[in-house]
Amino acid sequence: GDSVTQMEGPVTLSEEAFLTINCTYTATGYPSLFWYVQYPGEGLQLLLKATKADDKGSNKGFEATYRKETTSFHLEKGSVQVSDSAVYFCAEAVGNKLTFGGGTRVLVKP
Amino acid sequence: DAGVIQSPRHEVTEMGQEVTLRCKPISGHDYLFWYRQTMMRGLELLIYFNNNVPIDDSGMPEDRFSAKMPNASFSTLKIQPSEPRDSAVYFCASSAQDRVYGYTFGSGTRLTVV
């Protein structure tokens, strides 16, 4: 079946460092791609999305580009803050079924 | 809109008891999803509904689990009888047909079966 693979964490960074979280998907065709963020004790919140090849999703300084040729949707942020500490999930949607990666825990230290 | 509302936020029950989790989706959303989150297995899709009709329940772990959606504004996930391995956080999510705004998740129900 379809699956999403993202880098395992935890990822530990200093404030203002550059963050990259790799994500690849396996669905054929043109699935919609998402990044969700989960803060401690909370549900998942949509961070950004892209629905077709070469689309760039962006929000709160985070960006991800839909790369059909490499089946990837890597998340990046140029300068992280302590408040970005959370678990980040990559997901693909085929039809109306959303499949998540395993999540990457990010810890930003002051 | 208040978002997707789940209740209760926390549930502690004894093994063998029946547990019912509740979800109110966002008004106007015609898809509703139930997910389970554990450290070992991550986020698993259990079942989803479209216009109150179950579409895919292949993720429901076993017959002890059942889900219903009697109307567009309410869904339940029931576990009977509950077992310690059912301990997890259960999330409900809803989305509109066009998925323009993605899937909106509730805050989850943390279930502990002792």
Side-chain angles (χ1 to χ4, degrees):
Chain A
D2 295 329
S3 65
V4 176
T5 303
Q6 58 183 107
M7 59 191 291
E8 290 190 22
V11 175
T12 303
L13 303 164
S14 297
E15 212 165 18
E16 299 183 1
F18 185 87
L19 170 68
T20 298
I21 304 176
N22 291 339
C23 170
T24 57
Y25 64 92
T26 62
T28 56
Y30 291 88
S32 294
L33 302 174
F34 303 85
W35 276 100
Y36 281 83
V37 59
Q38 184 178 31
Y39 299 102
E42 298 184 12
L44 279 73
Q45 301 175 24
L46 178 64
L47 181 59
L48 54 83
K49 67 180 177 71
T51 57
K52 60 183 187 295
D54 299 325
D55 262 3
K56 178 184 283 188
S58 61
N59 186 26
K60 299 181 181 179
F62 290 89
E63 293 184 340
T65 301
Y66 191 144
R67 300 289 186 198
K68 179 67 175 173
E69 64 276 14
T70 54
T71 62
S72 65
F73 192 53
H74 305 322
L75 182 68
E76 297 181 337
K77 185 172 185 182
S79 177
V80 294
Q81 304 300 312
V82 172
S83 57
D84 294 325
S85 298
V87 181
Y88 293 82
F89 292 90
C90 185
E92 65 177 12
V94 178
N96 283 287
K97 190 170 180 177
L98 193 62
T99 301
F100 287 91
T104 302
R105 184 176 299 278
V106 173
L107 177 61
V108 181
K109 296 185 175 180
Chain B
D1 200 314
V4 176
I5 299 173
Q6 291 186 245
S7 63
R9 284 299 307 273
H10 303 274
E11 176 79 38
V12 180
T13 190
E14 291 186 347
M15 181 174 63
Q17 297 298 306
E18 177 180 295
V19 176
T20 299
L21 312 181
R22 297 172 176 79
C23 175
K24 176 179 168 55
I26 289 176
S27 177
H29 281 190
D30 44 14
Y31 284 86
L32 184 139
F33 307 82
W34 281 102
Y35 284 86
R36 178 172 68 176
Q37 185 178 36
T38 61
M39 289 294 292
M40 292 297 295
R41 301 172 70 93
L43 274 161
E44 304 172 276
L45 176 63
L46 301 178
I47 185 171
Y48 78 93
F49 296 82
N50 177 218
N51 291 324
N52 314 336
V53 176
I55 303 300
D56 184 348
D57 65 355
S58 60
M60 296 285 262
E62 48 197 277
D63 293 345
R64 297 185 297 105
F65 286 69
S66 63
K68 294 182 180 180
M69 192 165 186
N71 56 61
S73 58
F74 184 65
S75 176
T76 60
L77 178 67
K78 185 176 294 186
I79 308 173
Q80 164 64 18
S82 58
E83 297 182 4
R85 59 193 169 118
D86 301 331
S87 297
V89 181
Y90 291 81
F91 288 104
C92 176
S94 69
S95 74
Q97 174 71 25
D98 59 10
R99 292 183 278 119
V100 170
Y101 299 105
Y103 300 72
T104 303
F105 282 76
S107 298
T109 295
R110 180 174 295 278
L111 173 66
T112 303
V113 183
V114 298

